[in-house]
Amino acid sequence: MEELFSGRSYGVSADIRADGPVVVCFDPWINKPDPDRAPFGLRYFSTNNINVLSVKSHGNHWYQHEEMDEVVDRINQRLSGRDRVGYGSSMGGYAAVNFSERLSLSRVLLFSPQYSPDLKRVPWENRWQEQESLACRYDVVSEIAPVPGYLFFDPHNRNDQRHVDLITQRHPLTTIKMPFAGHHVLDWFGQNRTISQLIKSLVFDPTRERDAIRTRRLDRARIATYWLNLSAHYAARGRSEKAMQAAQRGTECDRGDVILARHTYASCLYADGQVEVAKRIWRAALDNPEEAGRQHFLLRQSIVDQGWPELRAALLDVEVAAPG
């Protein structure tokens, strides 16, 4: 592995061993950035014998810090004469489009990309904590030369749909709708175990739209993520029974966030008045050492968000009697 750049805001690593395209990866937004985490995409592409270069961001600042000028220069020097494919999810998808012209990317593979971190341009976006005080030095998605490629997104995620509409006004991207995959659509392909096949085909052959459409639905009935997002969709429309049924299906899956599915199902039951059934599900989860920590967090969050303080005493503040 080569280290091309190491700075205060960014690091750039690469594993380039053969001819062919180089995938240029950008970190997504991370709730709690870990400086010791592996560079996004580096291990995956390297393991699959695909040339890769990864830009690691040390914070959620949307690649707007001034070090990006040096990062771009280093990448262009290293990849001179090479075909380059941009790759990123969410904040990383934004970066892949935003720097596509400066990095001479021939195409991009995007997963729920964001159009802009500038709240003047996207005043309806409230998901990213750092946006409010961000100085947007390099925010040029709407101004640069159009770049082709693929864009995967969940059309039922209202904010993501808005970002996609704005991006595709300028960039001729093939959009692949991923109903009820949620914002983290890249995880979907990992969960249905088609990520390697899909990414390889799109990196080496930019005309494989049919493969992408086919793989989006594979095994979705076995993935908790699908049922959780479907449950949220029904709940937002006041269809509580359908929301409960979808959450229950999520608890029966063998992939995806089954812990969250159990919590969501119990929450639906509790809101429906089936208090004891819900409590049994929560108690079983709290008694499971592999699930207890996450379930504690989810319960505390729901107690605050839903106004269920009685659950704190019933489930979280239960004292264990001293022996003897």
Side-chain angles (χ1 to χ4, degrees), residues 35-257:
D36 297 323
R37 72 189 185 282
F40 176 70
L42 188 70
R43 183 179 303 168
Y44 165 75
F45 286 108
S46 179
T47 301
N48 284 277
N49 298 313
I50 299 174
N51 297 315
V52 58
L53 182 150
S54 181
V55 182
K56 180 176 176 179
S57 180
H58 300 324
N60 293 320
H61 36 64
W62 295 82
Y63 301 94
Q64 297 299 310
H65 284 189
E66 57 189 10
E67 275 185 357
M68 279 304 297
D69 286 326
E70 190 169 357
V71 166
V72 168
D73 288 345
R74 294 286 182 90
I75 293 173
N76 284 332
Q77 290 168 13
R78 179 63 180 87
L79 300 185
S80 178
R82 304 291 296 252
D83 182 29
R84 313 166 195 184
V85 181
Y87 180 86
S89 172
S90 189
M91 183 179 83
Y94 161 77
V97 179
N98 196 54
F99 292 95
S100 59
E101 184 174 62
R102 291 185 64 183
L103 291 172
S104 301
L105 302 181
S106 63
R107 58 194 179 280
V108 291
L109 303 181
L110 312 176
F111 302 85
S112 302
Q114 307 296 275
Y115 169 71
S116 172
D118 188 346
L119 290 180
K120 297 185 190 70
R121 297 189 178 198
V122 290
W124 34 266
E125 182 59 85
N126 58 4
R127 292 178 291 183
W128 322 115
Q129 300 164 5
E130 286 86 354
Q131 278 183 299
E132 224 169 298
S133 58
L134 189 65
C136 296
R137 295 179 178 85
Y138 309 111
D139 189 29
V140 292
V141 169
S142 62
E143 303 162 22
I144 56 176
V147 61
Y150 287 90
L151 192 162
F152 298 82
F153 75 106
D154 180 353
H156 296 289
N157 186 309
R158 189 178 178 213
N159 278 16
D160 284 352
Q161 177 71 72
R162 286 176 162 184
H163 285 286
V164 169
D165 290 343
L166 289 167
I167 292 169
T168 55
Q169 283 178 14
R170 184 163 189 84
H171 299 279
L173 298 161
T174 299
T175 55
I176 308 293
K177 295 181 179 180
M178 304 285 296
F180 307 113
H183 179 65
H184 301 289
V185 294
L186 184 56
D187 292 345
W188 179 272
F189 293 107
Q191 291 167 9
N192 77 4
R193 299 170 187 170
T194 61
I195 185 70
S196 294
Q197 171 192 344
L198 175 76
I199 299 303
K200 276 185 178 180
S201 67
L202 296 184
V203 166
F204 291 103
D205 184 351
T207 66
R208 301 294 290 271
E209 178 181 354
R210 191 166 297 177
D211 285 356
I213 293 173
R214 182 178 59 81
T215 56
R216 70 180 176 176
R217 293 182 180 272
L218 287 180
D219 277 354
R220 72 177 184 180
R222 298 176 61 186
I223 301 174
T225 305
Y226 168 76
W227 296 107
L228 280 166
N229 286 302
L230 184 58
S231 177
H233 175 76
Y234 283 135
R237 285 154 181 75
R239 302 180 67 180
S240 56
E241 186 175 346
K242 287 281 191 181
M244 187 187 306
Q245 291 171 355
Q248 183 179 20
R249 287 291 302 273
T251 67
E252 300 165 0
C253 293
D254 58 0
R255 303 176 201 167
D257 197 340

